Amino acid sequence: MSDVAERLAELRDKGLQRRLRLVDGPQGPRVLLEGREVLLLCSNNYLGLAEHPQVRRAAADAALRWGAGAGASRLISGNMEPHRRLERRLAAFKGYEAALLFGSGYLANSGTIAALAGRGEVVFSDELNHASIVDGCRLSRAETFVYRHRDNEHLAWGLERTHGKPALIVSDGVFSMDGDVAPLEDLVELARRYRCRLMVDEAHATGALGPGGRGSVAAAGLSEEVDLVIGTLGKALGSYGAYICASRELSEYLLNAARSFVFSTALPPPVLAAAEAGLGLLEAEPQRVERLRANATALRDGLAAEGLSPGGGESQIVPLEIGDAGRTMELCERLLERGIFAQGIRPPTVPAGSSRLRFTAMATHEEEELRQAAREVGAAARELGIATPAPRAPALAA
Ligand SMILES: *Cc1c(COP(=O)(O)O)cnc(C)c1O
């Protein structure tokens, strides 16, 4: 008991204690946050599909037709028509033979990596990969070689010297807290050279990058070369859950071997129907992706015009690194007073000393409100005497 109290006190002392904030209403461009209207700048509802009338209606209709829950895992009695249909559509959208749904991105990553790598093998993982990838590596009992962020030379060095069998290279496509993109061509080349599988997590790339929002792998024209892509239904697609796309054989193997698939209840029909409606809207209205991109640029340019140095590439994720956790939360609170909500991101979500505000643009924002928000950020940062460090140069691949 006292142990937990001590650990909480330690978190408080380090400025790392977290708490839940209450959002009232759907994830639109503006929300009521604990009674105050704010511009929402930290939701992953990138395309505004979570609150879209057609998506809501699809969920409601599916609840009436199929019920609220699936009742069991897919392999027992929970496999329904909406699962099969959505898997087919996702595979077609991503250009893969097959797709397999999982309860969440966390479950997809942890279960898939653990199923594809084992004792005596090695998984190669970018140091800034999402926590669910890190946990998948731990679950696998394989050795994990963590290579420096986007550093192909370090990865190649590790592949060359490994004593175990290289089983898998795994990377975020768009890095969730940094917004930069993995060097996919080099990863493909290394995976081929060392005869191991390549898995790319497209959680933040689907709906945001590539032709029609098909993701970073499709943007690089590498769908034929990347063995598995993971995507989520809970971000740009506006619903909840996740999927992997792969060959029919790999997908059939995961259906048998991924414990997070086998031992977990199937996604509920309303969630599936919402995701399918979201996917339909993405396909029918690719201009949403263009809006997202334009809005991200407006936000990035606005922050730069304030003398701030947002990091990342050109994605919808616009991180503003502050460094110290306490200072980051001060800026976060100051912005709330100015009607802007961008949650502070602290360790262990990001490495120690790199706490940040992680702004995310949505297609449903107006460019002008993003420019105004950037001015507010500039003013709040000046009030607090915060100068953001220049973004670190991306790791060079010599
Ligand atoms: C959000 C996220 C996940 C987890 O997906 P959930 O469906 O939210 O569990 C996995 N990988 C990355 C890169 C993410 O950003």
Side-chain angles (χ1 to χ4, degrees):
M1 293 288 251
S2 59
D3 186 31
V4 167
E6 268 170 40
R7 282 192 232 172
L8 268 174
E10 192 182 327
L11 287 175
R12 264 194 300 273
D13 289 348
K14 292 181 175 160
L16 295 179
Q17 192 186 21
R18 303 183 184 202
R19 70 177 183 90
L20 294 169
R21 300 182 199 267
L22 195 63
V23 171
D24 193 1
Q27 299 273 305
R30 290 179 181 275
V31 293
L32 270 186
L33 182 77
E34 285 160 359
R36 177 193 284 153
E37 194 193 304
V38 291
L39 185 71
L40 180 59
L41 279 180
C42 53
S43 175
N44 300 322
N45 176 30
Y46 297 129
L47 301 177
L49 295 175
E51 81 279 24
H52 193 286
Q54 284 179 36
V55 175
R56 296 193 210 197
R57 180 161 314 275
D61 289 348
L64 294 176
R65 164 129 194 242
W66 301 92
S73 75
R74 298 277 299 285
L75 292 164
I76 306 293
S77 74
N79 188 37
M80 296 169 147
E81 181 57 26
H83 296 95
R84 211 169 53 171
R85 218 174 45 223
L86 182 56
E87 283 176 343
R88 285 191 182 145
R89 289 195 62 174
L90 287 166
F93 178 70
K94 289 283 191 173
Y96 278 78
E97 264 180 22
L100 187 67
L101 292 165
F102 282 77
S104 70
Y106 187 94
L107 292 170
N109 275 331
S110 53
T112 298
I113 296 171
L116 290 178
R119 266 188 231 288
E121 299 184 318
V122 189
V123 180
F124 297 83
S125 174
D126 188 289
E127 67 179 331
L128 294 188
N129 277 343
H130 190 263
S132 54
I133 293 176
V134 174
D135 292 358
C137 294
R138 290 177 182 158
L139 270 175
S140 74
R141 299 187 169 91
E143 186 189 325
T144 306
F145 181 89
V146 178
Y147 59 90
R148 286 190 293 270
H149 183 48
R150 298 171 77 238
D151 187 339
N152 300 318
E153 211 176 271
H154 192 210
L155 170 58
W157 184 89
L159 282 159
E160 191 57 48
R161 273 155 195 79
T162 176
H163 295 300
K165 177 176 169 288
L168 189 67
I169 298 172
V170 54
S171 178
D172 282 12
V174 170
F175 287 86
S176 55
M177 296 300 132
D178 293 74
D180 51 353
V181 180
L184 293 170
E185 286 195 19
D186 298 310
L187 295 182
V188 162
E189 201 270 312
L190 287 170
R192 229 189 258 155
R193 189 177 340 147
Y194 290 92
R195 295 169 199 279
C196 61
R197 292 203 169 83
L198 174 60
M199 169 172 154
V200 176
D201 180 342
E202 296 273 58
H204 295 282
T206 303
L209 262 69
R214 281 172 176 73
S216 63
V217 172
L222 292 170
S223 305
E224 304 276 308
E225 322 289 334
V226 175
D227 301 284
L228 300 105
V229 296
I230 300 260
T232 59
L233 306 173
K235 287 168 181 157
L237 290 178
S239 181
Y240 185 72
Y243 57 94
I244 62 108
C245 287
S247 66
R248 207 160 280 134
E249 183 184 53
L250 254 181
S251 159
E252 190 185 330
Y253 171 69
L254 291 173
L255 179 149
N256 283 275
R259 293 170 65 84
S260 60
F261 177 88
V262 176
F263 296 107
S264 195
T265 300
L267 283 170
V271 164
L272 298 162
E276 192 181 348
L279 181 59
L281 282 163
L282 171 57
E283 288 179 312
E285 301 171 7
Q287 62 274 21
R288 286 173 186 276
V289 182
E290 300 307 318
R291 272 301 306 269
L292 177 62
R293 219 182 307 256
N295 281 349
T297 303
L299 180 58
R300 219 176 268 285
D301 291 353
L303 290 170
E306 294 298 312
L308 300 168
S309 310
E314 290 167 9
S315 75
Q316 74 284 6
I317 299 169
V318 183
L320 189 65
E321 188 173 320
I322 308 300
D324 179 69
R327 297 287 277 162
T328 301
M329 295 318 290
E330 272 177 53
L331 181 58
C332 173
E333 294 298 333
R334 196 59 72 97
L335 283 176
L336 281 173
E337 287 162 19
R338 290 171 173 268
I340 289 167
F341 180 29
Q343 184 61 276
I345 308 287
R346 294 166 283 172
T349 307
V350 292
S354 73
S355 290
R356 67 197 65 182
L357 296 185
R358 170 186 177 271
F359 297 100
T360 52
M362 296 193 285
T364 45
H365 286 128
E366 301 292 333
E367 280 188 36
E368 183 44 42
E369 66 191 351
L370 292 171
R371 282 194 213 98
Q372 179 56 30
R375 288 191 284 271
E376 301 285 357
V377 177
R382 281 189 295 277
E383 271 173 27
L384 293 173
I386 287 175
T388 64
R392 280 165 300 193
L396 292 177

